[in-house]
Amino acid sequence: MRAVRRLSLSCEGGLLPVFRLVSVFLALLLCAATPVLAQPAAAPAVETATPLQQANADLDKAGAQLNAIRERVDTYADDDARLVQLKVEAEALNRSILAISVATRPRLDAIKARQAELGDPPAEGAPAEADVVVEERKKLTVERNEINALTGEAENLSIEATKLSNRITEIRRQLFSDAILKRTEISSDLFSEASGAIAEETQTLGRTVTAWMQFVWKFKRMQLLGAVALSLMAALVLLSGSYRLFSPYITRAARQEKPHYITRLSVAFWSTVLPTMAAAAFAGASYFFLDTFKVLRPDIAPIVAIALGVLVAIYFLGQLANAVLSPGDGHWRLVRVSDRGAQLLWLLIFSMAVVNGADYFLGTISEVLGSPVVLTVVKSFFASIVIGALLLVTAFIKPVLRQGETPDSPGRPWPRSIFVLLVLTGLGLIFAALLGYVGMARFVATQIVVTGAVIVTMYIGFLSGRAVSATNAFAETAVGKRLEERFGLGQVALDQIGLAAGLAIYLLLFVFFVPLILLQWGFQVADIESWAYRIFTEIRIGTITISLVGILAGVLLFVAGLVITRWFQRWVDGNVLARSQVDAGVRNSVRTAVGYAGVALAGLVGISAAGINLSSLALVAG
């Protein structure tokens, strides 16, 4: 048929129409003469599932997944890390179940609207409805009942998922309580068994480390040197860049004999955070490159990882104690203590950090090498005793100065409340360890050292942010003076910059230090990720759901709309209206109208992006 059609199209315009008609007729005869069996069999019609059928299938799949999660919870009831992952899966499944139910609401609303249009069925004795209306009413009723049944099933599954999530939380809480309150009988047999185990562990560790070092020196020497060089480069780049950016905050000018309070706070905060970040970058890069270049073996990798982490933690605590106490220069000290008291306090704090870090490092070695649990218990026992003793020593030193006394003056005892708190905490650690509650003593000791250091850093940062954002305060800082000289900024602009800097410091404190505290108190990374997801995407206030990400996107789109509106105003005024020779008043009116329209459009786009239903604003708009 195509050949005949091409032939007819190629003919000149003078050909008779009858020839074209005969050609088409012959082509039809050829098609009709083709055997039926020669035609390919028609593919069977694929029935497309309706949205309601697809929703039911998704609910069935979600129910099966929920049962699978429930079975895995029973299997891994003693594994806290695995339970965290299962809790995240249960919460994600719960959100998908609710999404299936929500997806049916538009159709349900449409059915209700159509039923309202049809009205109630005719009363008995009234004229009957048309068959089409009766059939439509039946279909709408059946579909509405199916949607209601699906919604009810989704709600039941959602309740089961919520119960499962709460059950996982309860199991984890019980695991935590059992680990903290577990009691070990402290006796001579315990120490005898531990002494034999520690000798065997020392030999095993020596053989493991020696074998690894020989392996690296023979086969991975260049990879080791390359990993160390790249790690140092990463740390130096971060450290030099941060110092260049924040040098006004962390450079102690020798000419300032009595630095301003804001300067002292800023120096203390940034001189703690920035070097610690550089040290953490070096440790993280070292492990990454060593692992990437296959320098680490499975038996040595956990030991290297915990060693790097402990060193970073000890370095952070030392930097923090030095920033707050400033043992070498009393003018930069943030607390009113004597020079002698500052030196003793720094030494005691650093010693507690070293003891706590050594406890974790040795515990990891025992775990990796498969040593008996009794060895870890004994290590934590002695660590808790030592930290408790250091707290008692801290209680009896005399570091406090009165108002107006110079740093080189002799100190006085702690206030009564601080003295009692230190004594009770130290004795509590010692007696808890002696009574066999080694897990609880170790946990409390860790919180005193690590969580206390994080809280102190947060407090310094909070004071720094509050001081910087105070009225007329930012202009007195080195950065404020430099901005004023270079850009000619006024007092109002500097105050606004100071307020923004203070808010940025608050945000930094919340983002970096709150997760550290949560991790120290037994929470897992998956817990924090789940909470962050809920905070940024679904904050519920009654029946209203607020998304911080959506609000941020709405604000950004609104700002972009304002920028585009201002540009379009200038373009219209300078290119269109200027060439039309219209009156100045008309030009001003058109420019103003364009501005209003652009702002209104940007506002609508921003509100929609923020997830706010525009229909709810109809009354306000009216």
Side-chain angles (χ1 to χ4, degrees), residues 369-390:
L369 299 181
S371 302
V373 179
V374 64
L375 189 56
T376 302
V377 173
V378 171
K379 292 174 183 176
S380 298
F381 172 82
F382 284 111
S384 302
I385 294 291
V386 172
I387 293 177
L390 291 174

Side-chain angles (χ1 to χ4, degrees), residues 496-515:
Q496 292 175 347
I497 295 175
L499 180 60
L503 294 176
I505 292 175
Y506 295 155
L507 180 61
L508 176 70
L509 296 175
F510 178 80
V511 171
F512 284 96
F513 291 104
V514 171

